[in-house]
Amino acid sequence: MDGLRWLAAQGYPIPPTRVLVHPGRDREAIKAVLAGMVSEQRAYAIRSSANVEDGGSTSYAGQFASFLDVSGFDAVVDAVVGVVQSADTSGITSYRQHQGDDRPIDMAVIIQNMVRPVVSGV
């Protein structure tokens, strides 16, 4: 989230963004939060923003789930749940053990309007 804030402050265009802080795993609670926030006519990018990402000694790059071109309310809810659940995969557990990272994972989920890319880069 900090990266998005920085980009916006520098005047870079970013797609409309919603952030669910600690959304939990309860589908009905997620539905209640998303009601009126998600359009059936729009596609979204759903991705993680965890406290352990992009640290000084760990990156977690590509470790948590991201979902692109997600359309429909129920599909957005499923993607949010998928991002949250991705913090509990065997790959994450293995990476954390290898890095000696025992911090609790606080997962937020970023929901952005999908933008059709022309080019991309890192």
Side-chain angles (χ1 to χ4, degrees), residues 18 20 26-44 46 69-82 111:
R18 300 139 199 89
L20 303 182
D26 182 329
R27 265 183 76 74
E28 294 309 311
I30 293 169
K31 281 182 171 183
V33 169
L34 292 177
M37 190 185 302
V38 173
S39 168
E40 290 287 331
Q41 287 73 42
R42 181 169 301 285
Y44 297 94
I46 318 289
D69 210 19
V70 179
S71 298
F73 185 77
D74 287 333
V76 170
V77 172
D78 290 343
V80 169
V81 171
I111 302 171

Side-chain angles (χ1 to χ4, degrees), residues 33-105:
V33 169
L34 292 177
M37 190 185 302
V38 173
S39 168
E40 290 287 331
Q41 287 73 42
R42 181 169 301 285
Y44 297 94
I46 318 289
R47 57 194 187 87
S48 66
S49 182
N51 64 313
V52 295
E53 291 179 292
D54 302 326
S57 61
T58 60
S59 75
Y60 288 80
Q63 298 286 325
F64 299 116
S66 291
F67 300 89
L68 301 176
D69 210 19
V70 179
S71 298
F73 185 77
D74 287 333
V76 170
V77 172
D78 290 343
V80 169
V81 171
V83 169
V84 172
Q85 289 177 342
S86 73
D88 294 329
T89 64
S90 61
I92 293 291
T93 301
S94 175
Y95 182 75
R96 291 171 61 75
Q97 288 172 344
H98 180 74
Q99 295 297 321
D101 188 354
D102 60 357
R103 297 172 290 170
I105 297 175

